[in-house]
Amino acid sequence: DNVNRISTLRKKDFPITDHNHGKARVRVLKVDKSSSVHKVYEYTVQTKVWSPKYELAFSKEDNTDLVATDTQKNTVYVVAKRTKANSPEQFGLDLCLQFMNEYNVLTAAEATVEMCQWERSIVDGERHEHGFEKHSPEMQVAVVKIDRKGDDDDSATGEGYTTSVTSFIQKMTILKTTQSGFEGYLKDKYTLLPETTERCVATELDCTWTYTLDQDGMTASFSELDYIDIRSRIRELLIKGIFGPAKGGVYSASLQATIYDAACLILEDEELACVHSVKLYTPNLHYLPMKSLEMLGETFEDDVFIPTSEPSGTITCTVCRE
């Protein structure tokens, strides 16, 4: 009997300081067949929506106008069908805009969009039209949030909203086998690490960047940015900053110095005037010299190492425009 059903146990209500709800781990594959050379985009999406009215769902058992998480999940697939969905950023923008335009009750919507890497297969030296392989754990990620300014008639065009976009490269795994050292650090009774000017350095790098839309006095919109080109250029400069020229490379006095140099390369690049800040997170992947080879009758010549990722040093640097 629903009339006599007990649904609360509390004796007192306390203030709710924050609330939202959404759907996580929504997986979708978008295949672009607009030409004989297909393109694929595989995403994992998490959505969140906000509305002051939804406080009642928590405190008063009132689900009126609540956009269910299943509805949010289905919207992901609808937007994937209706749009190009060719970058995490643009897919996230289109998804959040759909939520905000469709549901006036919402004051904000957020989408976290992760895209895994599919590489076109090579057959007899030629890139295949519709065959793909997954080689790397590297992920392309974006977090997009759109907030409603108010009861603005221009909401459908995005002018009634404020938008934020943050982009990421995650799990970019890199290794350089020379041109790296570490010297001059504090040494005390707890220090066992010897100085070196020759070592392997490796990391599973995460790069995060934010955007500025006011470039040389000209204000753009987030929908006008070419996120594919921006991401490609940032990755290219990360590789250049860490490794240096293909012949000879560049010396790394420390991972700290190297990632700062790479971040500055990104911010000084004319093609990336839209980038406001760059954050690099570089947990060490250690390759320890197997110097005990000498006890086995062999000579260590910076050529045999023991891979380990635990324990791991963690180094973070955020660089932004003035």
Side-chain angles (χ1 to χ4, degrees):
D1 185 356
N2 291 340
V3 175
N4 297 319
R5 183 174 60 190
I6 297 174
S7 61
T8 60
L9 299 175
R10 65 181 181 273
K11 296 179 180 179
K12 179 181 179 181
D13 285 355
F14 291 88
I16 296 174
T17 58
D18 185 33
H19 61 88
N20 63 70
H21 70 282
K23 202 71 164 182
R25 298 187 295 277
V26 183
R27 299 184 63 189
V28 55
L29 175 68
K30 171 78 172 187
V31 182
D32 180 353
K33 297 183 178 181
S34 58
S35 74
S36 61
V37 180
H38 296 175
K39 299 176 182 178
V40 296
Y41 309 96
E42 183 179 346
Y43 296 110
T44 301
V45 181
Q46 177 175 342
T47 62
K48 293 180 183 179
V49 296
W50 284 262
S51 173
K53 188 173 184 178
Y54 293 165
E55 182 174 330
L56 299 178
F58 294 87
S59 62
K60 303 299 181 184
E61 303 177 356
D62 183 353
N63 294 331
T64 304
D65 292 332
L66 185 136
V67 182
T69 65
D70 184 71
T71 303
Q72 296 179 44
K73 176 202 69 178
N74 295 333
T75 303
V76 172
Y77 296 106
V78 170
V79 173
K81 172 63 179 179
R82 291 178 180 175
T83 69
K84 290 183 178 181
N86 61 357
S87 74
E89 292 84 359
Q90 193 59 55
F91 189 24
L93 283 166
D94 291 336
L95 181 56
C96 288
L97 196 60
Q98 172 66 25
F99 283 134
M100 299 301 286
N101 288 341
E102 188 74 21
Y103 306 109
N104 289 330
V105 68
L106 299 182
T107 54
E110 181 181 275
T112 300
V113 185
E114 301 177 349
M115 186 174 83
C116 64
Q117 301 280 89
W118 285 101
E119 304 293 339
R120 199 173 299 281
S121 296
I122 306 296
V123 178
D124 295 331
E126 187 175 356
R127 290 162 63 86
H128 202 279
E129 290 183 339
H130 55 264
F132 299 86
E133 304 171 25
K134 188 184 293 185
H135 297 295
S136 168
E138 185 174 321
M139 303 286 286
Q140 302 180 20
V141 184
V143 177
V144 178
K145 187 175 183 183
I146 295 181
D147 290 86
R148 198 182 303 278
K149 290 181 180 178
D151 296 329
D152 197 317
D153 293 335
D154 295 325
S155 289
T157 65
E159 296 178 16
Y161 304 134
T162 58
T163 303
S164 67
V165 178
T166 304
S167 298
F168 306 78
I169 295 172
Q170 295 182 342
K171 299 182 180 180
M172 179 178 171
T173 309
I174 56 175
L175 164 69
K176 58 188 294 184
T177 54
T178 189
Q179 286 280 58
S180 178
F182 192 54
E183 304 173 274
Y185 46 87
L186 183 148
K187 302 175 189 66
D188 61 14
K189 60 184 178 181
Y190 303 112
T191 305
L192 299 177
L193 182 70
E195 291 190 349
T196 183
T197 57
E198 178 61 37
R199 65 172 183 170
C200 287
V201 64
T203 183
E204 192 174 75
L205 178 149
D206 287 353
C207 178
T208 307
W209 63 95
T210 61
Y211 299 87
T212 177
L213 296 182
D214 188 9
Q215 304 164 37
D216 298 326
M218 298 181 63
T219 302
S221 71
F222 281 105
S223 61
E224 295 173 355
L225 297 177
D226 190 330
Y227 295 105
I228 297 175
D229 283 353
I230 292 168
R231 181 179 295 276
S232 176
R233 182 59 177 160
I234 285 177
R235 195 182 189 285
E236 179 183 322
L237 289 171
L238 284 173
I239 293 295
K240 179 179 179 180
I242 293 168
F243 294 142
K247 293 185 177 180
V250 64
Y251 183 72
S252 171
S254 67
L255 192 51
Q256 288 93 328
T258 294
I259 64 173
Y260 174 71
D261 195 41
C264 289
L265 283 179
I266 292 170
L267 292 180
E268 71 183 18
D269 189 80
E270 293 182 357
E271 297 178 28
L272 298 174
C274 61
V275 175
H276 175 69
S277 67
V278 178
K279 177 181 178 181
L280 294 176
Y281 169 65
T282 52
N284 289 127
L285 300 177
H286 291 296
Y287 290 85
L288 305 179
M290 181 56 180
K291 293 188 175 181
S292 54
L293 279 172
E294 297 173 2
M295 300 172 61
L296 302 172
E298 300 291 341
T299 302
F300 176 72
E301 298 175 303
D302 292 301
D303 56 349
V304 179
F305 300 85
I306 304 171
T308 178
S309 58
E310 298 175 352
S312 173
T314 58
I315 297 165
T316 305
C317 180
T318 302
V319 183
C320 67
R321 301 186 186 279
E322 296 180 358

